[in-house]
Amino acid sequence: MKLILPVLFAFIYCLPSFSQVPSHRNPQVNKALFPGDNERISPEKNLKINPLFNWNLNPYSNAAINPASNALVNPKLNTKINPHFNQVINPLRSLSLNPLMGSNWLGYYAFDKSGNHLGYFVRADQQVMICFDTKGKWNGYMVLTENQTYLCYNLQDEWTGMFACSDSDSGLNMFNKEGEWTGEFAK
């Protein structure tokens, strides 16, 4: 019995608490955060935040925020925004960027269209956010454009074609190459 209690305690303590989202940032608890229930932050209801209707937000319609025509938002041409060249924003060099390594990270919890936790977007600096899965594995990064659109890059520094736009509140909505909302969002 003496051995069972410490083992049980250790098991409970080591459960994946990292995937726990605080209730004030959890769309399954606070429906005001859920785009499906809040028309103001839904790109399907609020056309001002939908890049299919607002060309300023769409990198395929706006050359100023497209990495093919603007070197400032292209990490292959601008090493300041590239985590592979800028050690300050590299999560393998700056472990404080990893949301599971510390409690002082700034950024977003990412969710799927059902409100399930997908990962984290951690602010590395004013222009770059580092993307992590729920286990704290670095899986990409996003670069902010002048129009408050984030371009999504993979770990090979290639633009995935995906991008994120402000939800007109305090979060982001994710869009695919066609400019359609994927249902994914971040709070």
Side-chain angles (χ1 to χ4, degrees):
M1 183 67 166
K2 286 183 180 182
L3 182 60
I4 294 174
L5 286 177
V7 171
L8 182 61
F9 178 77
F11 176 76
I12 292 170
Y13 182 76
C14 292
L15 282 175
S17 60
F18 49 80
S19 66
Q20 299 298 323
V21 178
S23 60
H24 70 281
R25 294 182 70 181
N26 188 336
Q28 292 181 335
V29 174
N30 182 351
K31 293 299 182 184
L33 303 176
F34 193 68
D37 292 334
N38 184 342
E39 291 184 6
R40 184 170 169 245
I41 62 173
S42 170
E44 293 174 331
K45 306 284 188 210
N46 183 349
L47 301 184
K48 290 180 186 176
I49 61 171
N50 188 325
L52 287 176
F53 297 94
N54 184 347
W55 69 270
N56 286 311
L57 302 174
N58 192 328
Y60 293 99
S61 302
N62 184 349
I65 63 172
N66 187 306
S69 55
N70 184 347
L72 293 175
V73 295
N74 187 332
K76 288 187 173 185
L77 303 173
N78 181 357
T79 58
K80 180 183 174 210
I81 61 169
N82 188 324
H84 294 104
F85 292 96
N86 183 343
Q87 291 186 16
V88 174
I89 61 173
N90 184 317
L92 302 178
R93 304 255 185 219
S94 299
L95 295 180
S96 62
L97 293 174
N98 190 305
L100 304 183
M101 296 289 204
S103 60
N104 294 330
W105 65 278
L106 298 173
Y108 301 94
Y109 292 90
F111 302 98
D112 68 12
K113 59 184 166 187
S114 298
N116 298 310
H117 185 210
L118 292 176
Y120 307 87
F121 301 154
V122 178
R123 191 169 305 286
D125 67 11
Q126 291 181 344
Q127 195 173 0
V128 177
M129 276 202 282
I130 306 297
C131 306
F132 297 91
D133 66 15
T134 56
K135 293 184 168 105
K137 182 179 177 188
W138 179 29
N139 58 15
Y141 59 100
M142 298 190 295
V143 175
L144 182 64
T145 69
E146 65 185 36
N147 289 16
Q148 305 303 308
T149 296
Y150 283 92
L151 304 175
C152 301
Y153 292 91
N154 63 25
L155 294 179
Q156 291 73 43
D157 305 322
E158 299 284 342
W159 181 36
T160 64
M162 302 281 289
F163 57 99
C165 299
S166 170
D167 69 2
S168 79
D169 191 19
S170 60
L172 299 171
N173 288 312
M174 297 296 296
F175 297 89
N176 64 20
K177 294 176 182 179
E178 290 74 34
E180 298 165 341
W181 183 40
T182 64
E184 296 176 3
F185 61 101
K187 285 295 187 179

